[in-house]
Amino acid sequence: MKTNTLKSLLFTILFIVSSVLFAQSSISGTVKDNLGYPLTGVNILIQNSSKGTLTDFDGKFTIDNIEDGDYNVEFSYVGYKKQVIAVSISGNFILDVTLQEDLMALDQVVITGSGNPRKKMESSVAITTMGSKQIEEQAPLSTADLLQSIPGFLVETSGGETGNNLFARGIPTAGAYEYVQFQEDGLPVFEDGALQFANIDNFQRVDETVKRLEAIKGGTASIYASGAPGGIINFISKTGQNEFKGTTKLTVGDYGLLRTDFNLGGAIVEDKLFYNIGGFYRVDDGIRNPGFKANNGGQVKLNMTYKFDKGYARINYKNLNDRTIFYQSTPFIKNGDKVEAYPGFDANYGTFANIEQTKLNVPQGGGGFFKADLEDGIHPKTNAIGGEFKYDISDIISVKNSFKSTDIDLDYNAIFAAAWMGGVTSQSDYANGLGIASGDAVFTYNNGGDVLPSDRNLKRVDFWNIKKQMNNFVNNLTFNFNWDKINLNVGYYYSNWKSNQNWNWSSFLTSVEDEGRLVNLVDSNTGTEYTYHGISGISWLQRESQIKGTLNAIFVDTEIEASDDLTLNFGFRYDDDKYSGAGDHGTWGNNIGVLPNNTADNGVNILTGNYVYWDYDVSELSYTAAANYKFNDDMALYTRYSKGFRSPIEEAFYIAIESGQGNAALEDLEPTKVNQTELGFKYSSEKFALFANLFYMKLDNVTYQDIGVGGVSERKFANVKNTGLELEAIVKLGKFNTTFNGTIQNPEYSGYEGSQAILNGNLARRISKFYYNIRPNYNITEHINVYAKYSYFGKKYNDIENTFELPSYGVVNAGASYRINNLRFGLDASNLFNTIGLTEGDGNAPADGDVFLGRSILGRTVRLSVAINF
């Protein structure tokens, strides 16, 4: 009896002692925004521990098995200010939290263009960031479409999903992405983003794997990238975490669109080994429908991360296999200061590309046939594999090395209708131009043989096929030294890239009408044929060439905390870059004699195997200095000066081959020098945020290297001065929210002498002085949001002489979304009112009433999407 009583007493004592010594409690609650709406996916972490969780779809969270004591609980969520709350936990602790929206993500830490990641408020660079939620809300039709929301970047989107152009801070170019660098996770998608017919957006897609976008304009871009003084655009990928998370999304559209996206991420070993995998597949008819599947393909991306006590190691892989159509010039009529559609040719949905051009099969001079398929469109097959390693050597020193190997097989097929190929002509004018009497010219449709209606006009268009094999290996090694008040980043950058290409271009004769058709022409008097199955010129241009680049650069970037409020930044980069190449331009005007009594084979360009070689070296020093002063946590001012450069683009080097002179033809070719001075202001409050950046740029030796009449390279040089203001602003009034971004600038030519001095002061071609986006949205309820977006692009000139004016235009997009638990339904309409907006003209300035060629934005389209987060 006594024994049992003693045992019970001992058990009770042990229970009480263990309860006191090993008490386990919990913390739970709800996280909401300032409107009282629950926030899903908020990251909650008990600092200095491994315990944490995410809020569920109702904003609720629970962390169990916490020992009693005092803790700091951290709440972080993209787009909201981080909040740390001190708590004393004993038992089941309830904590409800309201997060304040970070209107312009000025509290967000940015990593692009910096050796010491800092909050945007503390950084002395003009940087725009967009998280995955903001990207989803923008509902971009393409990568270029997304970039239109970044001030300082004038982006043309008339080419379709790919093949578009970006002009950074008023720097005029022949197109592509010439003065910026596209990056994925801090390394270039491909080293040079402006290779011939290899615009960098051909190889970059926006899908659910993108965690956020960081875009620097000017600033430190010249220190952290070679040849990118205009900026860096960095797409940062999602990586795994302890909790399994995923997204799947289905999108359909009124142009035959069916697209599915997915992303999955989680842990293989908790706290140690993480994975993320995602991608998309898409097929559609094209907004300008050519009569076949215009866009078809997708990509897969994955990464794995291993974390250890003093760092991490990560591997990345991307496979892109996607076909996209490229849209070029179509006909318009000038009516005063406006542009009208050409009768019978839809300005918003028409294209010269059509199904009759999908099989190119033309005889060659050496026998056999050259075959290509327009349905393949711009078709890159990309494989990129890379890795990243970071290790803390000590409390002060850390090392990081990143590398990537990229292989691209690009088959480029597109229809071009440039003005130098000939304008829209009547049948009689076309016949007379060939010396055929009007009554003897017989025009028939190639498919069916019917005679053309007498009022049906004609246009020469070209099928351009370019095959490119590209590869790039890049390695970036940095050492970071973090002392009390000084952070020093020292690095060595290496890049080795090569591009082999073959061109074969042929001409078609086509009718000018919606769903145009190929046309044949025969002289009924002589029996001479002027076309071969609608082809008027067989292989009139061929090129075979190679370009290689080897870049070696060292860079240093230093940040000094001069005081609690003042931060100084100094940096430099020294590039020692070498380029070389070879090519065969062939012989012109050969009659290969394979088509009896037919002129289509009379002007063939034949490669001879006679290669011309060239090489070119660039050694340049880039540098920058800046200061950032924080008045308080919500307001800062910065100033920066930077000097950078851009090496000549591929088409500039081709003159060595085209002329047959090799290096002698490159003697006057110099890199473009870019000097920038910036003054920036940042402010953020609960209801209003502003990011303003005033800049002055001076550019020396800006080169234009476009393809002109007869496939000959254009060769022009100029200096440009530009003063501009970039603005980003957000106003939030309860359930109503408005975002604005815009650019005011004045890029003018300078430095012309002699007879060309008259050009000084002219506006740089294809650059608007003023453009902006304004996007109001309203939360009708906790679940329903509606928005509208108005984009305005001021007038610009298509030529250096400023005689060919492209009128201003505005575009309206609109949509709505419905969120319930883990579901989101979206409805998005682009170019709601079918605006005609010319991004580019072609040829000489048209007179009033004239027909001319140009490129307009795409017509109205509507998309419906449903996304599930789990």
Side-chain angles (χ1 to χ4, degrees):
M1 184 77 175
K2 290 181 179 179
T3 303
N4 291 335
T5 302
L6 182 61
K7 287 182 178 179
S8 298
L9 181 60
L10 289 172
F11 179 80
T12 301
I13 293 171
L14 288 172
F15 177 78
I16 293 173
V17 171
S18 63
S19 297
V20 172
L21 294 177
F22 305 104
Q24 298 293 305
S25 300
S26 68
I27 180 172
S28 61
T30 304
V31 183
K32 297 181 178 181
D33 64 13
N34 56 357
L35 295 178
Y37 298 158
L39 294 174
T40 301
V42 176
N43 188 49
I44 304 163
L45 176 68
I46 298 178
Q47 291 185 345
N48 301 317
S49 79
S50 61
K51 291 188 176 296
T53 188
L54 299 172
T55 55
D56 64 16
F57 300 114
D58 296 317
K60 298 182 182 298
F61 71 94
T62 300
I63 303 175
D64 293 315
N65 301 320
I66 305 172
E67 295 183 11
D68 289 354
D70 297 332
Y71 298 96
N72 289 322
V73 184
E74 178 184 299
F75 296 82
S76 60
Y77 190 54
V78 174
Y80 290 79
K81 293 187 176 182
K82 183 188 295 184
Q83 193 171 149
V84 179
I85 300 175
V87 298
S88 295
I89 297 177
S90 178
N92 296 324
F93 189 87
I94 305 298
L95 180 61
D96 293 329
V97 177
T98 298
L99 293 185
Q100 181 182 338
E101 192 169 357
D102 185 10
L103 294 185
M104 205 168 285
L106 294 179
D107 200 44
Q108 184 182 58
V109 174
V110 295
I111 62 175
T112 303
S114 174
N116 180 30
R118 283 185 172 271
K119 295 179 181 179
K120 287 174 67 177
M121 183 64 76
E122 300 170 346
S123 300
S124 52
V125 292
I127 184 166
T128 298
T129 60
M130 281 185 271
S132 57
K133 180 182 177 182
Q134 292 169 289
I135 294 173
E136 180 180 59
E137 291 172 348
Q138 291 292 330
L141 285 165
S142 63
T143 301
D145 195 24
L146 178 65
L147 300 181
Q148 280 193 335
S149 297
I150 300 173
F153 289 165
L154 179 60
V155 186
E156 298 178 348
T157 60
S158 54
E161 280 199 36
T162 59
N164 292 295
N165 306 308
L166 181 151
F167 304 92
R169 285 190 167 172
I171 307 176
T173 74
Y177 296 77
E178 195 169 319
Y179 288 86
V180 299
Q181 185 176 89
F182 268 35
Q183 294 182 350
E184 280 185 313
D185 302 313
L187 292 178
V189 174
F190 196 86
E191 184 64 49
D192 193 320
L195 293 180
Q196 293 170 319
F197 303 98
N199 296 19
I200 198 65
D201 66 342
N202 291 351
F203 317 118
Q204 173 63 37
R205 304 290 187 273
V206 177
D207 60 17
E208 291 295 324
T209 65
V210 177
K211 180 179 180 180
R212 69 180 185 273
L213 168 68
E214 296 182 353
I216 288 178
K217 291 87 69 178
T220 57
S222 292
I223 307 303
Y224 284 92
S226 293
I232 297 173
I233 302 166
N234 189 13
F235 296 86
I236 300 170
S237 302
K238 295 175 181 176
T239 55
Q241 61 286 312
N242 277 332
E243 297 82 5
F244 173 75
K245 294 169 61 178
T247 299
T248 182
K249 182 178 180 181
L250 178 67
T251 307
V252 296
D254 61 353
Y255 53 102
L257 171 67
L258 177 66
R259 173 170 171 147
T260 178
D261 291 74
F262 79 98
N263 189 78
L264 306 172
I268 299 173
V269 179
E270 188 172 351
D271 297 329
K272 288 292 183 183
L273 184 60
F274 307 91
Y275 71 92
N276 195 86
I277 182 171
F280 77 94
Y281 173 78
R282 176 265 295 107
V283 62
D284 65 65
D285 299 327
I287 297 174
R288 296 181 182 271
N289 189 344
F292 53 81
K293 293 300 178 186
N295 304 299
N296 189 358
Q299 77 173 4
V300 174
K301 290 173 58 181
L302 64 89
N303 60 67
M304 294 186 67
T305 304
Y306 179 76
K307 291 186 178 181
F308 43 86
D309 291 341
K310 294 186 177 183
Y312 65 88
R314 178 176 297 137
I315 58 171
N316 307 280
Y317 175 72
K318 181 177 84 170
N319 176 268
L320 171 69
N321 189 341
D322 192 24
R323 301 173 175 86
T324 57
I325 192 170
F326 176 68
Y327 299 120
Q328 219 249 349
S329 299
T330 56
F332 300 91
I333 296 178
K334 186 178 187 301
N335 182 7
D337 59 353
K338 297 181 180 180
V339 172
E340 296 180 351
Y342 179 85
F345 201 105
D346 197 298
N348 298 106
Y349 299 103
T351 173
F352 279 116
N354 65 73
I355 196 169
E356 291 186 30
Q357 301 157 339
T358 55
K359 304 296 182 184
L360 182 67
N361 189 31
V362 295
Q364 298 294 281
F369 291 82
F370 176 80
K371 300 177 183 293
D373 194 339
L374 183 61
E375 195 165 353
D376 283 340
I378 301 176
H379 185 187
K381 296 178 181 178
T382 300
N383 281 284
I385 186 167
E388 185 176 319
F389 175 84
K390 185 178 184 297
Y391 182 74
D392 295 330
I393 299 173
S394 68
D395 292 339
I396 296 175
I397 306 172
S398 64
V399 60
K400 181 179 178 181
N401 191 73
S402 305
F403 73 90
K404 183 165 66 172
S405 178
T406 302
D407 288 288
I408 301 173
D409 183 359
L410 176 64
D411 189 12
Y412 186 104
N413 303 271
I415 295 298
F416 282 75
W420 56 259
M421 301 171 186
V424 173
T425 63
S426 66
Q427 295 178 34
S428 59
D429 286 346
Y430 190 89
N432 291 337
L434 294 172
I436 308 172
S438 297
D440 295 334
V442 179
F443 293 92
T444 58
Y445 286 116
N446 180 62
N447 187 14
D450 295 337
V451 176
L452 261 69
S454 59
D455 61 347
R456 187 76 75 234
N457 287 338
L458 303 168
K459 176 72 177 79
R460 169 194 160 184
V461 302
D462 277 22
F463 188 127
W464 291 7
N465 173 268
I466 299 97
K467 290 180 169 60
K468 301 178 79 80
Q469 288 77 44
M470 306 161 57
N471 60 69
N472 185 195
F473 176 79
V474 59
N475 192 89
N476 194 46
L477 173 66
T478 59
F479 289 90
N480 185 264
F481 302 85
N482 194 3
W483 293 286
D484 183 31
K485 298 293 184 179
I486 300 175
N487 185 278
L488 175 66
N489 207 47
V490 180
Y492 167 64
Y493 179 83
Y494 172 83
S495 180
N496 187 307
W497 61 271
K498 178 171 64 176
S499 174
N500 294 304
Q501 66 173 353
N502 291 81
W503 297 11
N504 195 308
W505 299 1
S506 294
S507 299
F508 287 107
L509 183 61
T510 185
S511 59
V512 183
E513 56 186 317
D514 281 343
E515 300 180 4
R517 300 168 62 183
L518 298 185
V519 174
N520 285 318
L521 168 62
V522 63
D523 185 336
S524 61
N525 183 40
T526 64
T528 303
E529 298 178 55
Y530 290 83
T531 55
Y532 169 77
H533 303 307
I535 300 170
S536 57
I538 289 174
S539 299
W540 70 267
L541 176 61
Q542 296 192 72
R543 283 188 183 181
E544 182 178 334
S545 66
Q546 178 187 87
I547 182 172
K548 297 185 289 187
T550 299
L551 284 64
N552 287 275
I554 57 172
F555 57 92
V556 176
D557 186 33
T558 307
E559 285 195 355
I560 303 172
E561 292 185 18
S563 69
D564 291 341
D565 301 318
L566 179 62
T567 303
L568 306 178
N569 177 247
F570 304 95
F572 75 85
R573 183 185 186 95
Y574 180 74
D575 271 270
D576 183 18
D577 305 336
K578 300 182 184 302
Y579 302 93
S580 62
D584 177 9
H585 197 59
T587 61
W588 295 80
N590 297 283
N591 185 342
I592 59 176
V594 297
L595 301 176
N597 203 28
N598 191 310
T599 65
D601 64 346
N602 287 3
V604 178
N605 175 230
I606 297 178
L607 298 177
T608 63
N610 182 26
Y611 293 95
V612 177
Y613 296 85
W614 60 268
D615 61 80
Y616 187 88
D617 295 344
V618 175
S619 296
E620 289 289 338
L621 177 68
S622 303
Y623 52 87
T624 188
N628 186 87
Y629 184 79
K630 278 183 61 176
F631 297 96
N632 51 51
D633 289 342
D634 298 323
M635 185 167 60
L637 182 74
Y638 69 86
T639 183
R640 178 178 292 276
Y641 175 79
S642 61
K643 178 181 181 296
F645 77 99
R646 208 298 183 188
S647 295
I649 60 173
E650 182 179 14
E651 186 70 26
F653 292 131
Y654 193 79
I655 190 68
I657 300 168
E658 189 174 61
S659 66
Q661 298 176 4
N663 284 352
L666 306 179
E667 291 180 355
D668 62 345
L669 192 61
E670 297 181 5
T672 301
K673 309 293 179 62
V674 182
N675 296 274
Q676 302 182 68
T677 303
E678 303 176 59
L679 179 65
F681 176 77
K682 295 164 282 188
Y683 174 77
S684 179
S685 67
E686 186 176 343
K687 295 182 179 180
F688 176 70
L690 174 68
F691 199 148
N693 190 75
L694 179 67
F695 67 89
Y696 172 75
M697 295 184 68
K698 182 177 181 294
L699 302 101
D700 295 325
N701 198 51
V702 178
T703 61
Y704 302 99
Q705 305 294 339
D706 213 344
I707 300 170
V709 178
V712 178
S713 297
E714 178 187 31
R715 191 168 174 78
K716 297 180 181 179
F717 302 90
N719 297 332
V720 175
K721 294 179 180 179
N722 189 17
T723 302
L725 176 65
E726 301 161 348
L727 288 173
E728 292 182 80
I730 299 178
V731 178
K732 189 173 181 64
L733 300 173
K735 297 181 179 181
F736 182 78
N737 184 35
T738 298
T739 62
F740 173 88
N741 66 77
T743 304
I744 305 171
Q745 60 183 356
N746 189 39
E748 295 182 340
Y749 292 113
S750 65
Y752 282 112
E753 298 177 352
S755 62
Q756 291 187 316
I758 194 174
L759 300 175
N760 292 328
N762 282 4
L763 189 68
R765 69 176 185 178
R766 291 173 64 177
I767 308 292
S768 297
K769 296 178 69 172
F770 181 43
Y771 55 95
Y772 67 87
N773 298 282
I774 185 167
R775 186 183 186 275
N777 70 86
Y778 183 73
N779 291 305
I780 297 175
T781 70
E782 174 185 340
H783 305 292
I784 301 174
N785 177 272
V786 294
Y787 76 90
K789 179 181 177 182
Y790 179 74
S791 301
Y792 173 82
F793 301 89
K795 72 175 184 179
K796 55 186 177 180
Y797 294 100
N798 196 63
D799 57 341
I800 296 174
E801 293 76 18
N802 286 188
T803 60
F804 189 171
E805 181 180 307
L806 304 178
S808 62
Y809 64 92
V811 184
V812 176
N813 296 352
S817 64
Y818 176 75
R819 293 180 184 269
I820 180 71
N821 294 331
N822 62 332
L823 284 174
R824 181 188 186 273
F825 296 91
L827 178 66
D828 301 284
S830 301
N831 195 3
L832 198 59
F833 301 111
N834 263 333
T835 296
I836 298 175
L838 292 183
T839 65
E840 181 182 347
D842 214 342
N844 298 320
D848 205 33
D850 280 357
V851 178
F852 70 97
L853 295 161
R855 287 174 58 180
S856 177
I857 59 175
L858 305 179
R860 178 178 56 244
T861 181
V862 179
R863 290 161 291 149
L864 177 65
S865 64
V866 56
I868 305 173
N869 298 303
F870 52 88

